[in-house]
Amino acid sequence: MAKIGQDFNSDFTIEQNWRDYRQEEHATWRLLFERQQRLLVGRACQEFLDGLGGLGVAADGIPDFRRLSEVLEAATGWRIVAVPGLVPDDVFFAYLARRRFPSTCFIRRRDQLDYLQEPDIFHDICGHVPLLMNPVFADYMQAYGEGGLKALGLGHLQHLARLYWYTVEFGLIATPEGLRIYGSGILSSAGESVHSLDDPRPNRIRFDLRRVMRTRYRIDDFQQTYFVIDNFQQLFDATRPDFAPIYREIAAQPDIEPDALIGSDRKFDRASWGRPNVGKKMGRKLSAAQV
Ligand code: PHE
Ligand code: FE
Protein backbone atom coordinates (compact mmCIF):
# COMPACT_ATOMS: atom_id res chain seq x y z
CA MET A 1 0.00 0.00 0.00
CA ALA A 2 1.16 3.50 -0.71
CA LYS A 3 2.85 5.39 2.07
CA ILE A 4 3.97 8.97 1.98
CA GLY A 5 7.65 9.10 1.16
CA GLN A 6 7.42 6.00 -0.98
CA ASP A 7 8.90 6.13 -4.47
CA PHE A 8 6.73 7.65 -7.13
CA ASN A 9 6.94 8.09 -10.89
CA SER A 10 8.11 11.32 -12.48
CA ASP A 11 4.46 12.38 -12.90
CA PHE A 12 3.98 11.82 -9.13
CA THR A 13 1.70 8.84 -9.68
CA ILE A 14 1.97 5.50 -7.91
CA GLU A 15 0.17 2.17 -8.23
CA GLN A 16 -2.81 1.73 -5.93
CA ASN A 17 -2.03 -2.02 -5.59
CA TRP A 18 -5.56 -2.68 -4.45
CA ARG A 19 -4.84 -6.33 -3.62
CA ASP A 20 -2.33 -5.34 -0.98
CA TYR A 21 -4.78 -3.61 1.38
CA ARG A 22 -5.05 -5.47 4.68
CA GLN A 23 -8.40 -6.57 6.18
CA GLU A 24 -7.90 -4.07 8.95
CA GLU A 25 -7.67 -1.24 6.40
CA HIS A 26 -10.89 -2.32 4.70
CA ALA A 27 -12.50 -2.44 8.13
CA THR A 28 -11.44 1.15 8.85
CA TRP A 29 -13.02 2.22 5.56
CA ARG A 30 -16.26 0.45 6.49
CA LEU A 31 -16.36 2.13 9.86
CA LEU A 32 -15.89 5.58 8.36
CA PHE A 33 -18.29 4.89 5.52
CA GLU A 34 -21.13 3.61 7.70
CA ARG A 35 -20.79 6.46 10.13
CA GLN A 36 -20.97 9.06 7.34
CA GLN A 37 -23.86 7.23 5.65
CA ARG A 38 -25.94 7.76 8.75
CA LEU A 39 -24.87 11.35 9.24
CA LEU A 40 -25.22 12.49 5.66
CA VAL A 41 -28.87 11.63 5.03
CA GLY A 42 -30.58 15.01 5.18
CA ARG A 43 -27.20 16.77 5.37
CA ALA A 44 -25.34 16.10 2.10
CA CYS A 45 -26.72 17.71 -1.06
CA GLN A 46 -28.65 15.50 -3.46
CA GLU A 47 -25.98 15.79 -6.19
CA PHE A 48 -23.46 14.21 -3.83
CA LEU A 49 -25.79 11.37 -2.79
CA ASP A 50 -26.63 10.70 -6.44
CA GLY A 51 -22.93 10.61 -7.31
CA LEU A 52 -22.17 8.22 -4.48
CA GLY A 53 -24.98 5.94 -5.62
CA GLY A 54 -23.89 6.13 -9.25
CA LEU A 55 -20.28 5.28 -8.41
CA GLY A 56 -21.33 2.29 -6.40
CA VAL A 57 -18.79 3.13 -3.69
CA ALA A 58 -20.20 0.78 -1.15
CA ALA A 59 -19.55 0.07 2.47
CA ASP A 60 -17.79 -3.23 1.56
CA GLY A 61 -14.31 -1.80 1.70
CA ILE A 62 -11.68 0.36 0.00
CA PRO A 63 -12.63 0.62 -3.68
CA ASP A 64 -10.38 -0.24 -6.62
CA PHE A 65 -9.55 2.93 -8.59
CA ARG A 66 -9.66 1.05 -11.89
CA ARG A 67 -13.33 0.28 -11.43
CA LEU A 68 -14.19 3.75 -10.12
CA SER A 69 -12.40 5.41 -13.04
CA GLU A 70 -14.40 3.38 -15.54
CA VAL A 71 -17.72 4.51 -14.08
CA LEU A 72 -16.54 8.09 -13.65
CA GLU A 73 -15.10 8.34 -17.14
CA ALA A 74 -18.34 7.10 -18.69
CA ALA A 75 -20.30 9.74 -16.74
CA THR A 76 -18.18 12.90 -17.05
CA GLY A 77 -14.81 12.00 -18.58
CA TRP A 78 -12.91 12.22 -15.27
CA ARG A 79 -10.44 9.57 -14.05
CA ILE A 80 -8.68 8.97 -10.75
CA VAL A 81 -4.88 8.89 -10.58
CA ALA A 82 -3.13 7.48 -7.50
CA VAL A 83 -0.61 9.76 -5.76
CA PRO A 84 1.36 9.33 -2.51
CA GLY A 85 0.10 12.52 -0.83
CA LEU A 86 -0.11 16.23 -1.59
CA VAL A 87 1.59 16.93 -4.94
CA PRO A 88 3.18 20.24 -6.05
CA ASP A 89 0.60 22.90 -6.95
CA ASP A 90 1.45 23.03 -10.66
CA VAL A 91 1.15 19.22 -10.92
CA PHE A 92 -2.18 19.24 -9.08
CA PHE A 93 -3.64 21.96 -11.32
CA ALA A 94 -2.38 20.28 -14.48
CA TYR A 95 -4.15 17.06 -13.50
CA LEU A 96 -7.45 18.83 -12.81
CA ALA A 97 -7.17 20.73 -16.10
CA ARG A 98 -6.97 17.32 -17.83
CA ARG A 99 -9.89 15.91 -15.83
CA ARG A 100 -7.69 13.71 -13.68
CA PHE A 101 -8.31 13.66 -9.93
CA PRO A 102 -5.19 12.88 -7.86
CA SER A 103 -6.19 10.67 -4.93
CA THR A 104 -4.16 9.35 -2.04
CA CYS A 105 -4.20 5.58 -1.43
CA PHE A 106 -3.49 5.20 2.27
CA ILE A 107 -6.20 5.11 4.91
CA ARG A 108 -5.98 6.79 8.32
CA ARG A 109 -5.14 4.83 11.46
CA ARG A 110 -7.80 3.81 13.99
CA ASP A 111 -6.75 6.56 16.39
CA GLN A 112 -7.30 9.14 13.60
CA LEU A 113 -10.92 8.34 12.73
CA ASP A 114 -12.16 11.77 13.75
CA TYR A 115 -9.35 13.97 12.63
CA LEU A 116 -6.52 14.01 10.15
CA GLN A 117 -4.89 17.13 8.74
CA GLU A 118 -3.73 15.59 5.45
CA PRO A 119 -6.03 13.97 2.90
CA ASP A 120 -6.36 10.17 2.92
CA ILE A 121 -8.25 7.83 0.59
CA PHE A 122 -11.50 8.22 2.52
CA HIS A 123 -11.43 12.00 2.16
CA ASP A 124 -10.36 11.90 -1.49
CA ILE A 125 -12.68 9.16 -2.70
CA CYS A 126 -15.74 9.57 -0.48
CA GLY A 127 -15.44 13.34 -0.16
CA HIS A 128 -14.36 14.52 -3.62
CA VAL A 129 -15.11 11.89 -6.23
CA PRO A 130 -18.94 11.59 -5.95
CA LEU A 131 -19.44 15.21 -7.08
CA LEU A 132 -17.23 14.61 -10.11
CA MET A 133 -20.15 12.50 -11.37
CA ASN A 134 -22.13 15.76 -11.68
CA PRO A 135 -21.58 17.41 -15.11
CA VAL A 136 -21.59 21.02 -13.88
CA PHE A 137 -19.34 20.35 -10.91
CA ALA A 138 -17.06 18.28 -13.14
CA ASP A 139 -16.63 21.29 -15.44
CA TYR A 140 -16.04 23.60 -12.48
CA MET A 141 -13.17 21.42 -11.24
CA GLN A 142 -11.54 21.39 -14.66
CA ALA A 143 -11.90 25.18 -14.95
CA TYR A 144 -10.38 25.50 -11.48
CA GLY A 145 -7.32 23.53 -12.63
CA GLU A 146 -6.86 25.83 -15.62
CA GLY A 147 -7.39 28.84 -13.34
CA GLY A 148 -4.76 27.44 -10.97
CA LEU A 149 -2.08 27.34 -13.63
CA LYS A 150 -2.97 30.90 -14.53
CA ALA A 151 -2.98 32.09 -10.88
CA LEU A 152 0.49 30.57 -10.39
CA GLY A 153 1.78 32.61 -13.33
CA LEU A 154 0.17 35.78 -11.97
CA GLY A 155 1.40 35.23 -8.39
CA HIS A 156 -2.12 34.98 -6.94
CA LEU A 157 -2.23 31.38 -5.81
CA GLN A 158 -3.21 32.45 -2.29
CA HIS A 159 -6.37 34.14 -3.52
CA LEU A 160 -7.40 31.25 -5.74
CA ALA A 161 -6.67 28.67 -3.02
CA ARG A 162 -9.25 30.35 -0.81
CA LEU A 163 -11.87 29.79 -3.50
CA TYR A 164 -11.08 26.05 -3.48
CA TRP A 165 -11.13 25.96 0.30
CA TYR A 166 -14.49 27.68 0.70
CA THR A 167 -16.21 25.84 -2.16
CA VAL A 168 -14.73 22.43 -3.03
CA GLU A 169 -13.60 21.70 0.53
CA PHE A 170 -16.07 23.54 2.79
CA GLY A 171 -18.99 24.72 0.67
CA LEU A 172 -22.67 24.69 1.64
CA ILE A 173 -25.60 24.85 -0.78
CA ALA A 174 -29.09 26.28 -0.19
CA THR A 175 -32.02 24.03 -1.11
CA PRO A 176 -35.77 24.39 -0.55
CA GLU A 177 -35.39 21.92 2.33
CA GLY A 178 -32.66 23.96 3.99
CA LEU A 179 -28.87 24.14 3.84
CA ARG A 180 -26.96 21.10 2.63
CA ILE A 181 -23.27 20.19 2.42
CA TYR A 182 -21.23 19.82 -0.78
CA GLY A 183 -17.68 20.51 0.51
CA SER A 184 -15.58 17.36 0.76
CA GLY A 185 -13.72 18.51 3.87
CA ILE A 186 -17.07 18.54 5.64
CA LEU A 187 -18.50 15.41 4.00
CA SER A 188 -15.56 13.25 5.13
CA SER A 189 -15.67 14.52 8.74
CA ALA A 190 -18.28 13.32 11.23
CA GLY A 191 -17.73 16.27 13.54
CA GLU A 192 -17.82 18.96 10.88
CA SER A 193 -20.88 17.43 9.15
CA VAL A 194 -22.80 18.30 12.30
CA HIS A 195 -20.98 21.53 13.16
CA SER A 196 -21.41 23.08 9.71
CA LEU A 197 -25.20 22.75 9.72
CA ASP A 198 -26.32 22.54 13.33
CA ASP A 199 -23.95 24.66 15.40
CA PRO A 200 -25.22 28.22 15.85
CA ARG A 201 -21.72 29.73 16.10
CA PRO A 202 -20.23 29.72 12.57
CA ASN A 203 -21.23 32.39 10.04
CA ARG A 204 -23.14 31.17 7.00
CA ILE A 205 -22.87 33.77 4.28
CA ARG A 206 -24.06 33.94 0.69
CA PHE A 207 -21.26 33.15 -1.76
CA ASP A 208 -19.51 36.22 -3.14
CA LEU A 209 -16.37 35.66 -5.22
CA ARG A 210 -14.35 38.65 -4.03
CA ARG A 211 -15.37 38.18 -0.40
CA VAL A 212 -14.26 34.53 -0.55
CA MET A 213 -10.90 35.32 -2.15
CA ARG A 214 -10.18 37.89 0.56
CA THR A 215 -10.99 35.56 3.46
CA ARG A 216 -8.19 33.74 5.30
CA TYR A 217 -8.90 30.23 6.53
CA ARG A 218 -7.93 27.88 9.35
CA ILE A 219 -6.66 24.40 8.62
CA ASP A 220 -6.53 23.22 12.25
CA ASP A 221 -10.12 23.52 13.45
CA PHE A 222 -13.75 23.55 12.30
CA GLN A 223 -14.48 26.53 10.05
CA GLN A 224 -15.89 29.71 11.57
CA THR A 225 -17.38 30.83 8.26
CA TYR A 226 -19.12 28.87 5.50
CA PHE A 227 -20.13 30.31 2.13
CA VAL A 228 -23.44 29.22 0.65
CA ILE A 229 -24.16 28.82 -3.07
CA ASP A 230 -27.63 28.39 -4.61
CA ASN A 231 -26.55 25.78 -7.14
CA PHE A 232 -23.48 24.60 -9.06
CA GLN A 233 -24.38 26.57 -12.16
CA GLN A 234 -24.23 29.78 -10.13
CA LEU A 235 -20.76 28.81 -8.87
CA PHE A 236 -19.57 28.00 -12.37
CA ASP A 237 -20.97 31.26 -13.80
CA ALA A 238 -19.55 33.40 -10.97
CA THR A 239 -16.05 32.01 -11.55
CA ARG A 240 -16.12 32.20 -15.36
CA PRO A 241 -14.85 35.82 -15.75
CA ASP A 242 -11.14 36.53 -16.21
CA PHE A 243 -9.66 36.67 -12.69
CA ALA A 244 -6.65 38.83 -13.61
CA PRO A 245 -8.41 42.19 -12.99
CA ILE A 246 -10.19 40.73 -9.94
CA TYR A 247 -6.86 39.65 -8.44
CA ARG A 248 -5.52 43.19 -8.91
CA GLU A 249 -8.62 44.67 -7.33
CA ILE A 250 -8.59 42.50 -4.20
CA ALA A 251 -4.81 42.73 -3.78
CA ALA A 252 -5.41 46.39 -2.89
CA GLN A 253 -7.92 45.44 -0.17
CA PRO A 254 -7.19 43.99 3.27
CA ASP A 255 -7.64 40.29 4.00
CA ILE A 256 -10.68 39.29 6.07
CA GLU A 257 -10.23 37.15 9.21
CA PRO A 258 -11.81 33.66 9.23
CA ASP A 259 -14.47 34.63 11.78
CA ALA A 260 -15.16 38.22 10.69
CA LEU A 261 -18.31 39.68 9.16
CA ILE A 262 -18.30 42.69 6.82
CA GLY A 263 -21.08 45.13 5.95
CA SER A 264 -22.00 43.61 2.59
CA ASP A 265 -22.38 40.03 3.94
CA ARG A 266 -25.74 38.40 3.40
CA LYS A 267 -26.10 36.03 6.32
CA PHE A 268 -28.37 33.05 6.68
CA ASP A 269 -30.22 33.18 9.96
CA ARG A 270 -31.34 30.12 11.86
CA ALA A 271 -34.87 30.20 10.43
CA SER A 272 -33.69 30.10 6.84
CA TRP A 273 -31.22 27.26 7.16
CA GLY A 274 -32.52 25.01 9.89
CA ARG A 275 -34.48 21.87 9.52
CA PRO A 276 -37.12 22.71 12.11
CA ASN A 277 -37.09 20.20 15.02
CA VAL A 278 -35.04 17.41 13.41
CA GLY A 279 -31.88 19.46 13.10
CA LYS A 280 -31.71 20.46 16.70
CA LYS A 281 -32.45 17.10 18.19
CA MET A 282 -30.10 15.18 15.90
CA GLY A 283 -27.37 17.75 16.37
CA ARG A 284 -27.34 17.23 20.11
CA LYS A 285 -27.45 13.50 19.98
CA LEU A 286 -24.82 13.11 17.28
CA SER A 287 -22.35 15.66 18.53
CA ALA A 288 -22.16 13.99 21.92
CA ALA A 289 -21.74 10.55 20.40
CA GLN A 290 -19.50 11.18 17.45
CA VAL A 291 -17.60 14.44 17.40
N1 PHE B 1 -12.07 32.31 -14.55
C1 PHE B 1 -10.88 32.00 -13.81
C2 PHE B 1 -9.66 32.77 -14.31
O1 PHE B 1 -9.72 33.50 -15.25
C3 PHE B 1 -10.57 30.51 -13.87
C4 PHE B 1 -11.37 29.74 -12.87
C5 PHE B 1 -12.55 29.09 -13.21
C6 PHE B 1 -10.93 29.64 -11.58
C7 PHE B 1 -13.27 28.39 -12.27
C8 PHE B 1 -11.63 28.92 -10.66
C9 PHE B 1 -12.81 28.29 -10.99
O2 PHE B 1 -8.62 32.66 -13.70
FE1 FE C 1 -9.60 17.69 -0.28
Side-chain angles (χ1 to χ4, degrees), residues 96 143 233:
L96 297 186
Q233 192 62 48

Side-chain angles (χ1 to χ4, degrees), residues 174-179 206 267-275:
T175 79
E177 291 80 44
L179 295 190
R206 273 198 187 281
K267 268 187 88 168
F268 280 78
D269 52 34
R270 182 90 226 193
S272 64
W273 99 73
R275 288 151 294 151

Side-chain angles (χ1 to χ4, degrees), residues 25 73 103 114 181 189 228 234 247 287:
E25 294 173 309
E73 183 155 35
S103 171
D114 291 322
I181 306 163
S189 155
V228 184
Q234 174 207 28
Y247 289 145
S287 21

Side-chain angles (χ1 to χ4, degrees), residues 39-60:
L39 275 174
L40 292 181
V41 179
R43 286 197 165 86
C45 66
Q46 194 55 44
E47 291 88 341
F48 173 85
L49 297 171
D50 289 347
L52 199 60
L55 275 176
V57 178
D60 332 333

Side-chain angles (χ1 to χ4, degrees), residues 140 143-144 147 150 160 163 239-243:
Y140 173 67
Y144 181 86
K150 182 167 142 189
L160 188 75
L163 176 64
T239 50
R240 200 192 303 269
D242 179 8
F243 281 7

Side-chain angles (χ1 to χ4, degrees), residues 165-211:
W165 188 264
Y166 284 116
T167 61
V168 177
E169 294 288 352
F170 291 98
L172 296 180
I173 186 164
T175 79
E177 291 80 44
L179 295 190
R180 293 290 183 271
I181 306 163
Y182 75 91
S184 12
I186 310 177
L187 292 165
S188 61
S189 155
E192 194 140 6
S193 299
V194 176
H195 174 85
S196 64
L197 293 183
D198 296 355
D199 195 297
R201 287 168 294 179
N203 304 317
R204 298 169 183 86
I205 306 171
R206 273 198 187 281
F207 177 85
D208 175 280
L209 180 67
R210 290 165 176 76
R211 164 62 156 107

Side-chain angles (χ1 to χ4, degrees), residues 136-290:
V136 179
F137 195 84
D139 287 349
Y140 173 67
M141 286 289 276
Q142 175 181 3
Y144 181 86
E146 289 161 0
L149 294 170
K150 182 167 142 189
L152 273 177
L154 295 171
H156 281 279
L157 183 60
Q158 196 190 39
H159 290 128
L160 188 75
R162 291 169 179 169
L163 176 64
Y164 191 85
W165 188 264
Y166 284 116
T167 61
V168 177
E169 294 288 352
F170 291 98
L172 296 180
I173 186 164
T175 79
E177 291 80 44
L179 295 190
R180 293 290 183 271
I181 306 163
Y182 75 91
S184 12
I186 310 177
L187 292 165
S188 61
S189 155
E192 194 140 6
S193 299
V194 176
H195 174 85
S196 64
L197 293 183
D198 296 355
D199 195 297
R201 287 168 294 179
N203 304 317
R204 298 169 183 86
I205 306 171
R206 273 198 187 281
F207 177 85
D208 175 280
L209 180 67
R210 290 165 176 76
R211 164 62 156 107
V212 167
M213 294 207 291
R214 287 177 57 198
T215 308
R216 301 196 312 110
Y217 57 83
R218 303 186 57 161
I219 61 161
D220 59 348
D221 203 350
F222 292 159
Q223 301 304 301
Q224 293 164 303
T225 297
Y226 299 96
F227 290 94
V228 184
I229 61 170
D230 286 322
N231 53 63
F232 294 133
Q233 192 62 48
Q234 174 207 28
L235 178 61
F236 191 57
D237 292 343
T239 50
R240 200 192 303 269
D242 179 8
F243 281 7
I246 302 177
Y247 289 145
R248 283 196 296 274
E249 183 190 321
I250 60 178
Q253 299 175 324
D255 282 350
I256 301 170
E257 292 305 308
D259 63 342
L261 286 171
I262 61 169
S264 53
D265 287 341
R266 293 162 65 204
K267 268 187 88 168
F268 280 78
D269 52 34
R270 182 90 226 193
S272 64
W273 99 73
R275 288 151 294 151
N277 308 325
V278 200
K280 236 180 155 182
K281 208 167 116 227
M282 279 176 66
R284 250 201 323 270
K285 196 170 113 227
L286 293 169
S287 21
Q290 325 227 357

